[in-house]
Amino acid sequence: MTKPSVLFVCVKNGGKSQMAAGLMRKAAGDGVDVYSAGTKPGTAVNALSAESLLEVGVDIAGETPTPVDPQLVRDVDVVVTLGREAHVDPVDGTRFENWDTDEPSDRGIDGIERMRLVRDDIAARVDQLAVQLRTTQP
């Protein structure tokens, strides 16, 4: 039996993709191999992203943004891009999804409140994906 695997990608790999990876690790435990990367990685995890996740028991403060590895894209079962700006070229044999996540700043909501809304949107999607990954693997 092989463990399902997922790669979460955003542009900087400092916010949404790191949040999704942390939330998937919490939701799936050791049942899913989880990775995150950025198409143009920044230098650090977004402090407000990390703070909002600590509120739900997930610590991503020690994570480091990393670039997308083309081999990993081929090796994982699912690649999830988060937001509208990150793009990864599809490859045969890998499922691709785009999560057009909530962007509260479009409604004038910023700071930690923005991050909580983003976190909750991503958490709901992660929970659905975790169930799918557990039920579709051999």
Side-chain angles (χ1 to χ4, degrees), residues 6-70:
V6 61
L7 169 63
F8 294 103
V9 179
C10 66
V11 174
K12 293 183 181 178
N13 190 224
K16 293 177 181 179
S17 58
Q18 292 282 3
M19 293 173 85
L23 290 163
M24 179 59 82
R25 288 182 188 106
K26 179 181 180 188
D30 291 340
V32 175
D33 286 331
V34 181
Y35 308 92
S36 72
T39 56
K40 295 179 184 171
T43 57
V45 168
N46 179 296
L48 289 177
S49 295
E51 181 182 336
S52 73
L53 283 186
L54 274 177
E55 294 175 350
V56 296
V58 177
D59 185 359
I60 63 166
E63 299 295 328
T64 304
T66 59
V68 173
D69 176 352

Side-chain angles (χ1 to χ4, degrees), residues 23-117:
L23 290 163
M24 179 59 82
R25 288 182 188 106
K26 179 181 180 188
D30 291 340
V32 175
D33 286 331
V34 181
Y35 308 92
S36 72
T39 56
K40 295 179 184 171
T43 57
V45 168
N46 179 296
L48 289 177
S49 295
E51 181 182 336
S52 73
L53 283 186
L54 274 177
E55 294 175 350
V56 296
V58 177
D59 185 359
I60 63 166
E63 299 295 328
T64 304
T66 59
V68 173
D69 176 352
Q71 184 63 49
L72 185 60
V73 170
R74 288 188 290 278
D75 291 346
V76 296
D77 298 304
V78 182
V79 173
V80 177
T81 54
L82 292 98
R84 299 174 191 130
E85 297 175 8
H87 299 285
V88 178
D89 291 332
V91 296
D92 290 339
T94 301
R95 185 173 112 205
F96 283 77
E97 294 184 16
N98 175 259
W99 294 352
D100 192 2
T101 52
D102 184 23
E103 190 41 73
S105 60
D106 291 345
R107 301 186 304 276
I109 302 169
D110 291 310
I112 192 66
E113 281 304 312
R114 172 184 176 263
M115 281 303 161
R116 288 176 180 140
L117 292 168

